[in-house]
Amino acid sequence: MTTVASCAVVGTMMIAATGAQAQEAAFKTKQAGDIVIRGRVVGVVPDEDITSGTLAGEGKVDDDVIPEVDFSYFITDNIALELIAGTSKHDVTWNTGSSNLDLGSVRLLPPTLTAQYHFMADQRFSPYVGAGINYTFFYDSKPGQFNSVKYDDGFGYAFQAGFDYAISGPWSLNVDVKKIYLNTDVSVNGGAVKADADLDPWLFGIGVGYRF
């Protein structure tokens, strides 16, 4: 959470530093047919609940900070579709209550498509909300102290809120928060131990967008 908070502080400083110039600079309003490409730094913070009927305790997944690219297409001045692309890596442990077991690590590729409504599309400050679907691929799994650890791919759903702050011309700053509801079945040592994992990560992002 410290890294995520640092990203938010940096973003606030960026907005403050450019605010005076932005007030005087012309900017491009959001319009139907626009394509926006954004680059973000994203803090991925799992809100996990991982339990097993065959192993006491619970699983824990660590945070990650990643680069992310997203593409938006405006169907109308206010309604857009957004597709995000990014991948994260997480270390996984199991706390039995008396010891921590090393379940290695796993990478997640979670392409997510959301439909958004953008408020005040003709203003410099334009907030939005969105909802959509997600499909997560688990890959490059390392088993830690076990022989094998397997995660099932699967669908989830997502909600988001954020805002764009126009700087000048087609350029804007972006702050975005997503909540992805994601469940996977975990098999350890070929199914000798199974667990049900609700990962449900928060994605805290800040970045820059360019509108075509």
Side-chain angles (χ1 to χ4, degrees), residues 41-63:
V41 175
V42 175
V44 183
V45 183
D47 184 19
E48 72 273 29
D49 180 14
I50 309 174
T51 58
S52 172
T54 56
L55 183 64
E58 60 182 359
K60 294 294 181 183
V61 180
D62 75 344
D63 304 343

Side-chain angles (χ1 to χ4, degrees), residues 76-122:
T76 72
D77 292 356
N78 299 97
I79 298 174
L81 298 176
E82 180 193 74
L83 178 66
I84 69 168
T87 184
S88 61
K89 178 183 178 181
H90 302 273
D91 293 327
V92 186
T93 59
W94 194 276
N95 185 347
T96 65
S98 59
S99 63
N100 283 319
L101 305 178
D102 180 13
L103 286 169
S105 63
V106 64
R107 294 183 184 272
L108 281 67
L109 177 63
T112 302
L113 178 66
T114 59
Q116 305 169 331
Y117 186 86
H118 291 251
F119 303 90
M120 302 187 295
D122 61 345

Side-chain angles (χ1 to χ4, degrees), residues 1-186:
M1 291 298 289
T2 300
T3 303
V4 174
S6 298
C7 290
V9 171
V10 171
T12 301
M13 292 174 63
M14 290 171 61
I15 292 175
T18 58
Q21 294 92 340
Q23 291 298 327
E24 301 300 327
F27 65 95
K28 187 179 187 301
T29 63
K30 296 176 176 178
Q31 298 175 352
D34 281 355
I35 296 174
V36 181
I37 299 177
R38 298 185 186 92
R40 296 191 185 111
V41 175
V42 175
V44 183
V45 183
D47 184 19
E48 72 273 29
D49 180 14
I50 309 174
T51 58
S52 172
T54 56
L55 183 64
E58 60 182 359
K60 294 294 181 183
V61 180
D62 75 344
D63 304 343
D64 195 13
V65 176
I66 64 169
E68 180 209 78
V69 176
D70 76 79
F71 306 88
S72 295
Y73 176 75
F74 280 78
I75 300 172
T76 72
D77 292 356
N78 299 97
I79 298 174
L81 298 176
E82 180 193 74
L83 178 66
I84 69 168
T87 184
S88 61
K89 178 183 178 181
H90 302 273
D91 293 327
V92 186
T93 59
W94 194 276
N95 185 347
T96 65
S98 59
S99 63
N100 283 319
L101 305 178
D102 180 13
L103 286 169
S105 63
V106 64
R107 294 183 184 272
L108 281 67
L109 177 63
T112 302
L113 178 66
T114 59
Q116 305 169 331
Y117 186 86
H118 291 251
F119 303 90
M120 302 187 295
D122 61 345
Q123 300 297 309
R124 191 178 293 278
F125 175 77
S126 176
Y128 58 85
V129 294
I133 59 173
N134 158 271
Y135 191 86
T136 297
F137 300 92
F138 295 85
Y139 70 100
D140 194 25
S141 173
K142 308 297 185 184
Q145 69 185 77
F146 296 91
N147 295 325
S148 66
V149 180
K150 179 180 179 297
Y151 302 82
D152 289 345
D153 301 341
F155 283 98
Y157 53 98
F159 296 98
Q160 72 179 141
F163 67 84
D164 294 304
Y165 187 85
I167 303 172
S168 178
W171 292 97
S172 61
L173 293 174
N174 174 260
V175 174
D176 183 89
V177 178
K178 290 184 178 69
K179 176 69 168 181
I180 297 178
Y181 291 89
L182 170 63
N183 174 270
T184 182
D185 292 326
V186 185

